[in-house]
């Protein structure tokens, strides 16, 4: 089986080391880069993120990455967003009023109103019929906010933390997850195998 050329986008707001360790474990060649030519020519693109919505968008804008990511996504590149890399795909976030996200999906990001935040630890997801890569399993979450898609059809799994919330989305070439599959043991390994190799 051909190993896909995989790129982790390095824009200064991602946990790239854990992702690299996961890909090394799976024996998948990868590069960590902000070089647009390299990213554009990859088979699989991973868009990680940790931290604050506004800071992430500021870094993307400062590197002129916002229109670039919008373009490669619209042109069908196989794309995976992780954690904050899911949230910034939406239009706005309660974490940063007035800051525009990438707007690839309609909807916003809301803060959990109950329970201790951030949610830290293992939580079980329940997949929907719009799911190609995940199993109903426990994944590792670290999040105070959750996405609220305008179109529920893109949701590929949900979880519960005092409320039911969207744990992942899938639409055409785009997959994005709130949890950290790179820190989710066997469940994460299975997800990455599916996402990397499934046509």
């Amino acid at each position: 089986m051909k190993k896909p050329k995989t790129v982790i986008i390095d824009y200064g707001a991602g946990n790239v080391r854990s992702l690299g360790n996961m890909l090394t474990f799976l024996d998948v060649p990868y590069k960590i880069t902000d070089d647009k030519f390299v990213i554009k020519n990859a088979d699989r693109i991973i868009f990680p993120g940790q931290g604050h919505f506004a800071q992430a968008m500021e870094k993307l804008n400062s590197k002129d990455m916002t229109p670039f990511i919008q373009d490669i996504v619209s042109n069908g590149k196989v794309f995976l967003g992780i954690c904050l890399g899911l949230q910034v795909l939406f239009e706005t976030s309660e974490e940063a009023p007035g800051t525009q996200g990438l707007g690839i999906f309609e909807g916003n990001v809301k803060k959990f109103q109950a329970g201790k935040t951030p949610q830290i630890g293992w939580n079980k997801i329940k997949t929907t019929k719009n799911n190609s890569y995940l199993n109903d399993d426990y994944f590792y979450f670290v999040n105070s906010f959750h996405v609220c898609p305008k179109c529920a059809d893109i949701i590929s799994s949900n979880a519960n933390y005092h409320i039911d919330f969207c744990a992942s989305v899938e639409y055409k070439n785009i997959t994005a997850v709130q949890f950290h599959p790179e820190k989710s043991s066997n469940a994460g390994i299975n997800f990455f195998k599916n996402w990397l190799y499934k046509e």
Side-chain angles (χ1 to χ4, degrees), residues 13-150:
N15 182 26
V16 296
R17 182 178 296 178
S18 295
L19 281 167
N21 289 342
M22 173 63 79
L23 295 173
T24 297
F25 174 79
L26 294 172
D27 195 27
V28 172
Y30 72 94
K31 291 182 178 179
I32 300 171
T33 184
D34 62 358
D35 186 312
K36 294 182 176 70
F37 178 82
V38 175
I39 296 169
K40 197 170 184 177
N41 286 280
D43 299 316
R44 300 286 188 272
I45 297 170
I46 301 176
F47 180 55
Q50 284 186 327
H52 195 277
F53 189 95
Q55 292 172 348
M57 288 308 304
E58 181 180 343
K59 289 176 180 179
L60 286 173
N61 291 330
S62 70
K63 291 177 175 285
D64 196 31
M65 293 288 280
T66 297
F68 173 73
I69 291 173
Q70 291 166 334
D71 182 62
I72 59 175
V73 167
S74 66
N75 285 326
K77 279 290 182 181
V78 180
F79 183 93
L80 171 63
I82 297 176
C83 195
L84 187 59
L86 160 69
Q87 295 179 9
V88 297
L89 298 180
F90 288 80
E91 296 169 302
T92 59
S93 174
E94 290 183 349
E95 186 175 28
T99 297
Q100 292 298 309
L102 291 169
I104 291 169
F105 294 125
E106 291 184 300
N108 60 4
V109 184
K110 295 185 178 181
K111 185 177 176 62
F112 286 121
Q113 295 301 310
K116 182 180 178 181
T117 56
Q119 169 194 200
I120 301 177
W122 297 87
N123 199 343
K124 190 172 185 179
I125 66 167
K126 182 173 178 57
T127 55
T128 72
K129 62 182 181 180
N130 181 49
N131 164 59
S132 301
Y133 309 108
L134 291 161
N135 295 316
D136 290 9
D137 211 333
Y138 285 89
F139 288 85
Y140 189 78
F141 287 79
V142 182
N143 64 308
S144 298
F145 295 82
H146 60 96
V147 298
C148 299
K150 184 175 180 180

